[in-house]
């Protein structure tokens, strides 16, 4: 076991039960939180609270948003929290930041907590941006001098100079989020909890937030980051927690967790197996499997952009039939058709295709696809005359991810380089071609 002082967060069988339907539990208001705060010693570095188990577990209008969630986070670790909508991610962060209490279980946090949760949890709506900055700092246990030192930095980061004296109830959700993130990240929390900052705000601000979080993590502070953006999670976090229906199902290296999550999360997955019921194809050719492999032949649920990828299709030929060949089409997530590739050599190889099961593999070079989701289609056709035997669209989807420390990484392009494809091109060294005249 780790020495106690190495741990920033300990969650021990944390459960949260909500009543759904009419009596939806309201989040604690900021005022309530503040009252509680004043009563409890915020400055103390060790915070504990114990939930009370209550009766009525079997009632149909009660749901467990979290059930028996236990984990530990070491000081200075950045941990991503992922999972489908309703998995319990926000609930977990709300419990950690004391917006709400666990129904059962115990949480220990060591260090000042800064949090950016959903809009509506955190700031006091009647107070101005400036007043909220001071209030948040006070809650974090900072002196007004310390807050004043940070004030300009916060306002500059949020780009909210013009509205800093406006009550936050008049802010748009994007403006609110900007200020809330700036406050959470700049008031030197030892533990930073961030929920879905990327969902609000424009792309430029999102990049700025990711950069700031990376900086906070590099300074050795603890970060818990809820996001649906898997690239951001693997970029920022060494580890990740996967929640599923309120339960912690995986806590491991971020890349591993993200890969496993994506492999069963997508409606269109990276691997398809068809049985006899409805295989794509025609009367003589039936698709059996489609999947991706790496250069060693291992199946891939996702791939990194700098990795060569084999797209494999297995099919059955039911009779000996005249020659045919294959092609693929690749589409990006906005359904832009990126390219087609035909298996031209197959024409020379054989004149008749015997009955049996076949596998064909087409290799996509490394550094071709962008990061994002790609859908693959597969077709069989004949030439002379050209005839398409069948074309099966959207058979599999592959998630491409940017590498964490890719050489193509550029400070200004945290979300990745723009463009439909990401080829690695050869650049000749600059040469001076003439002297100034
Ligand atoms: N205040 C509440 N009252 C009743 N039920 C709630 C409340 N807050 C959350 N829930 C329920 O608890 C479950 C977990 O919700 P939570 O917001 O933690 O999910 P999430 O993982 O953050 O989802 P998302 O990805 O959509 O943000 C859901 O079924 C949700 O409907
Ligand atoms: Mg949420």
């Amino acid at each position: 076991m780790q020495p106690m002082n190495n741990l920033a967060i300990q969650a021990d069988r944390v459960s949260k039960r909500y009543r759904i339907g009419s009596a939806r539990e309201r989040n604690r208001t900021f005022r309530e939180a503040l009252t509680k705060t004043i009563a409890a010693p915020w400055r103390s570095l060790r915070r504990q609270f114990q939930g009370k188990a209550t009766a009525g577990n079997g009632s149909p209008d009660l749901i467990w948003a979290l059930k028996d969630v236990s984990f530990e986070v070491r000081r200075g670790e950045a941990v991503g929290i992922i999972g489908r909508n309703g998995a319990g991610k926000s609930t977990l962060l709300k419990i950690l930041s004391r917006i709400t209490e666990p129904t059962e279980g115990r949480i220990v946090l060591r260090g000042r907590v800064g949090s950016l949760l959903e809009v509506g949890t955190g700031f006091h709506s009647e107070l101005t941006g400036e007043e909220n900055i001071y209030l948040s700092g006070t809650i974090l246990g900072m002196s007004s001098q310390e807050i004043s030192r940070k004030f300009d930095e916060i306002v500059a980061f949020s780009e909210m100079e013009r509205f800093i004296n406006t009550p936050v109830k008049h802010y748009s959700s994007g403006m609110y989020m900007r200020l809330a993130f700036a406050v959470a990240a700049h008031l030197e929390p030892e533990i930073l909890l961030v929920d879905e900052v990327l969902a609000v705000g424009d792309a430029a601000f999102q990049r700025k937030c990711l950069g700031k979080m990376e900086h906070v993590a590099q300074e050795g502070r603890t970060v818990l980051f809820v996001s649906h953006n898997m690239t951001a999670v693997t970029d920022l976090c060494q580890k990740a927690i996967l929640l599923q229906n309120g339960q912690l199902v995986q806590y491991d290296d971020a890349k591993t967790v993200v890969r496993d999550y994506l492999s069963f999360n997508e409606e269109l997955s990276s691997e398809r197996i068809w049985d006899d019921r409805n295989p794509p194809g025609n009367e003589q050719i039936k698709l059996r499997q489609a999947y991706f492999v790496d250069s060693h032949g291992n199946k891939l649920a996702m791939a990194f952009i700098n990795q060569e990828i084999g797209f494999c299709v297995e099919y059955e030929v039911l009779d000996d039939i005249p020659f045919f060949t294959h092609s693929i089409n690749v589409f990006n997530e906005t359904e832009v058709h990126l390219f087609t590739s035909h298996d031209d050599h197959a024409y020379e190889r054989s004149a008749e295709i015997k009955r049996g099961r076949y596998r064909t593999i087409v290799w996509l070079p490394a550094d071709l696809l962008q990061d994002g989701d790609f859908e693959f289609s597969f077709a069989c056709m004949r030439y002379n005359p050209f005839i398409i035997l069948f074309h099966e669209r959207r058979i599999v989807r592959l998630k491409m991810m940017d590498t964490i420390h890719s050489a193509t990484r550029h400070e200004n392009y945290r979300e990745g380089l723009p463009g439909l494809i990401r080829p690695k091109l050869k650049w000749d060294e600059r040469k001076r071609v003439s002297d100034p005249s």
Side-chain angles (χ1 to χ4, degrees):
M1 203 170 144
Q2 291 295 326
M4 289 293 277
N5 58 10
N6 227 350
L7 296 175
I9 302 173
Q10 281 172 290
D12 183 23
R13 278 171 289 124
V14 170
S15 300
K16 176 71 185 181
R17 193 182 48 204
Y18 280 123
R19 182 175 297 279
I20 47 173
S22 52
R24 211 176 137 86
E25 182 188 305
R26 289 195 36 198
N27 291 327
R28 188 186 297 283
T29 63
F30 189 76
R31 201 185 296 270
E32 285 174 281
L34 189 60
T35 313
K36 194 176 167 183
T37 296
I38 290 163
W42 269 83
R43 278 172 178 276
S44 102
L45 291 183
R46 190 152 190 271
R47 301 208 272 121
Q48 286 194 22
F49 45 99
Q50 182 109 34
K52 299 171 286 300
T54 40
N57 294 10
S59 176
D61 59 349
L62 296 174
I63 62 145
W64 289 100
L66 284 178
K67 192 74 184 122
D68 287 334
V69 171
S70 301
F71 63 92
E72 290 177 342
V73 177
R74 264 183 274 163
R75 228 178 263 281
E77 271 181 337
V79 178
I81 300 172
I82 62 175
R84 306 186 75 141
N85 295 128
K89 306 179 295 295
S90 299
T91 304
L92 180 60
L93 285 205
K94 281 183 203 159
I95 289 173
L96 291 173
S97 55
R98 302 182 83 190
I99 299 285
T100 187
E101 284 190 3
T103 312
E104 291 169 3
R106 204 169 76 109
I107 280 198
V108 180
L109 293 177
R110 292 189 191 80
R112 308 201 287 215
V113 180
S115 60
L116 175 66
L117 307 179
E118 294 157 349
V119 173
T121 56
F123 286 162
H124 191 300
S125 61
E126 300 293 333
L127 300 182
T128 66
E130 174 167 359
E131 288 162 342
N132 271 300
I133 294 176
Y134 275 88
L135 199 53
S136 304
T138 309
I139 289 169
L140 275 174
M142 298 172 79
S143 70
S144 50
Q145 274 163 326
E146 281 177 291
I147 303 168
S148 298
R149 270 204 301 276
K150 289 277 163 193
F151 184 80
D152 291 343
E153 224 179 294
I154 291 171
V155 175
F157 185 93
S158 66
E159 299 165 23
M160 293 287 294
E161 289 89 345
R162 282 181 55 211
F163 304 101
I164 205 66
N165 292 314
T166 305
V168 301
K169 67 179 173 193
H170 299 306
Y171 285 12
S172 71
S173 54
M175 289 159 71
Y176 186 101
M177 224 51 179
R178 276 169 183 265
L179 189 64
F181 182 83
V183 166
H186 287 82
L187 288 180
E188 300 185 350
E190 285 148 306
I191 301 172
L192 179 62
L193 310 173
V194 177
D195 192 352
E196 290 289 9
V197 63
L198 302 164
V200 198
D202 53 43
F205 192 71
Q206 289 176 10
R207 280 199 293 273
K208 213 159 112 172
C209 291
L210 278 176
K212 180 66 191 171
M213 279 194 282
E214 210 170 318
H215 182 71
V216 168
Q218 277 162 4
E219 280 183 339
R221 290 183 273 162
T222 311
V223 179
L224 247 61
F225 176 44
V226 168
S227 181
H228 289 284
N229 180 332
M230 295 302 131
T231 308
V233 168
T234 47
D235 263 11
L236 191 72
C237 308
Q238 303 92 49
K239 295 171 84 177
I241 288 172
L242 174 60
L243 291 179
Q244 199 179 300
N245 298 325
Q247 285 175 306
L248 188 155
V249 294
Q250 205 177 2
Y251 184 13
D252 206 334
D253 169 66
K255 269 203 260 178
T256 308
V257 178
V258 164
R259 190 193 55 215
D260 293 352
Y261 170 62
L262 291 174
S263 67
F264 64 76
N265 182 43
E266 301 293 335
E267 34 150 332
L268 190 60
S269 65
S270 61
E271 180 176 6
R272 293 282 289 275
I273 299 175
W274 293 277
D275 58 19
D276 281 330
R277 269 168 293 176
N278 254 327
N282 64 5
E283 297 75 54
Q284 290 136 338
I285 307 164
K286 305 283 184 203
L287 294 194
R288 289 301 178 206
Q289 273 194 57
Y291 52 92
F292 297 95
V293 292
D294 66 15
S295 53
H296 307 290
N298 301 316
K299 274 193 188 164
L300 292 172
M302 48 77 55
F304 290 99
I305 60 167
N306 62 353
Q307 163 177 29
E308 188 184 37
I309 306 144
F311 174 43
C312 307
V313 178
E314 294 188 14
Y315 54 81
E316 212 154 309
V317 175
L318 304 177
D319 295 308
D320 296 354
I321 52 172
F323 161 82
F324 65 87
T325 186
H326 337 92
S327 74
I328 59 159
N329 290 289
V330 178
F331 301 83
N332 73 6
E333 50 207 279
T334 53
E335 298 192 1
V336 174
H337 186 182
L338 292 178
F339 57 86
T340 303
S341 175
H342 284 231
D343 183 3
D344 295 324
H345 295 290
Y347 189 55
E348 301 142 21
R349 278 186 221 132
S350 106
E352 191 186 48
I353 318 275
K354 297 270 179 222
R355 208 157 71 89
R357 185 158 170 150
Y358 293 84
R359 178 174 60 217
T360 179
I361 305 185
V362 51
W363 291 97
L364 282 76
D367 298 305
L368 170 69
L369 296 178
Q370 264 290 15
D371 59 358
D373 287 347
F374 296 89
E375 289 180 358
F376 287 64
S377 76
F378 182 76
C380 284
M381 70 278 246
R382 292 203 177 97
Y383 297 144
N384 303 326
F386 181 74
I387 161 177
I388 295 176
L389 301 174
F390 66 89
H391 180 197
E392 190 63 22
R393 289 166 207 281
R394 302 186 74 225
I395 59 173
V396 275
R397 177 190 289 170
L398 185 64
K399 183 95 177 174
M400 301 294 299
M401 300 219 303
D402 206 345
T403 45
I404 294 179
H405 299 294
S406 156
T408 57
R409 254 311 151 83
H410 194 288
E411 263 300 296
N412 294 329
Y413 292 118
R414 281 193 178 278
E415 297 262 286
L417 292 166
L420 288 178
I421 54 171
R422 183 95 75 90
K424 207 169 199 154
L425 303 179
K426 179 169 167 277
W427 283 73
D428 281 354
E429 206 183 317
R430 161 180 22 221
K431 282 202 181 75
R432 190 180 172 93
V433 288
S434 72
D435 293 332
S437 47

